[in-house]
């Protein structure tokens, strides 16, 4: 789906921290409710996130944000080695091309760094998105986060 022309993509800035974490939390709790129970969603995305932990995490990643009229629509965080760490959209921007546009922009940047492969660990909900973008499942495994169990998919895509 083409991205709405009113959406722009830019580099993350520190003032995006709180809105970005809020978007992550809302996205997990609203967009994954059909695949994960409440215990899993709370383990994955605490309703009282630690902003210092998030700031430290984001400082180690390249992060792009999509916004419309100053409103955060989504974000992607990735490593310069091609590891896609986080990709989320605000619930009201889901399935409108925001995540696809963010992934394309990250791919462009990584290609310019001569990265030849993207890889990610996808959730059950994210797996179809990544498959639509050319990623293939290499392995599935169980992981535990704060006592909750999750099925995850190691996925790769050549660039």
């Amino acid at each position: 789906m083409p991205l709405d022309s009113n959406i722009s993509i830019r580099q993350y800035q520190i003032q995006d921290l709180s809105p970005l974490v809020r978007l992550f939390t809302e996205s997990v709790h609203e967009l994954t409710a059909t695949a994960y129970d409440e215990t899993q969603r709370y383990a994955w995305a605490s309703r009282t996130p630690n902003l210092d932990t998030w700031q430290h995490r984001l400082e180690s990643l390249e992060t792009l944000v999509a916004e419309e009229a100053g409103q955060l629509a989504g974000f992607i965080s990735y490593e310069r080695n091609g590891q896609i760490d986080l990709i989320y959209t605000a619930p009201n921007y889901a399935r409108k091309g925001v995540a696809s546009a963010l992934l394309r922009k990250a791919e462009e940047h990584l290609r310019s760094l001569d990265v030849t492969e993207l890889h990610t660990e996808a959730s059950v909900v994210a797996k179809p998105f990544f498959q639509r973008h050319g990623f293939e499942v290499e392995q599935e495994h169980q992981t535990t986060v704060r006592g909750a169990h999750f099925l995850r998919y190691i996925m790769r895509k050549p660039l």
Side-chain angles (χ1 to χ4, degrees):
M1 176 176 279
L3 184 64
D4 184 320
S5 60
N6 295 326
I7 303 248
S8 60
I9 296 176
R10 62 169 174 79
Q11 289 289 323
Y12 164 83
Q13 300 165 356
I14 190 64
Q15 60 265 33
D16 297 320
L17 178 63
S18 187
L20 183 146
V21 174
R22 188 169 41 256
L23 180 151
F24 165 82
T25 304
E26 290 170 359
S27 179
V28 168
H29 286 275
E30 291 182 37
L31 300 179
T32 71
T34 58
Y36 299 103
D37 65 30
E38 187 176 28
T39 300
Q40 288 171 308
R41 293 192 315 272
Y42 274 90
W44 185 356
S46 169
R47 287 288 192 180
T48 55
N50 183 320
L51 292 181
D52 290 337
T53 300
W54 270 96
Q55 182 177 346
H56 180 72
R57 182 177 187 183
L58 293 172
E59 284 171 354
S60 69
L61 299 165
E62 299 284 329
T63 299
L64 300 172
V65 298
E67 65 181 1
E68 180 180 43
Q71 183 77 27
L72 199 60
F75 72 96
I76 186 170
S77 296
Y78 58 95
E79 296 178 27
R80 290 175 162 255
N81 67 1
Q83 170 71 30
I84 307 298
D85 191 25
L86 301 160
I87 186 165
Y88 290 89
T89 58
N92 56 324
Y93 286 96
R95 294 171 217 29
K96 294 183 178 177
V98 172
S100 296
L102 286 163
L103 182 59
R104 277 193 304 275
K105 197 64 112 168
E107 285 181 8
E108 287 173 19
H109 180 229
L110 290 165
R111 274 193 191 96
S112 77
L113 299 175
D114 295 323
V115 172
T116 59
E117 181 181 71
L118 300 180
H119 44 104
T120 194
E121 184 176 313
S123 68
V124 170
V125 174
K127 178 185 168 195
F129 167 81
F130 283 110
Q131 286 176 315
R132 281 193 307 276
H133 290 279
F135 284 75
E136 293 184 4
V137 174
E138 184 174 274
Q139 175 186 350
E140 58 180 69
H141 69 97
Q142 290 281 336
T143 190
T144 303
V145 177
R146 294 193 253 304
H149 302 289
F150 297 89
L151 178 60
R152 306 288 287 180
Y153 301 92
I154 305 294
M155 301 181 76
R156 296 193 180 279
K157 172 187 178 175
L159 279 182

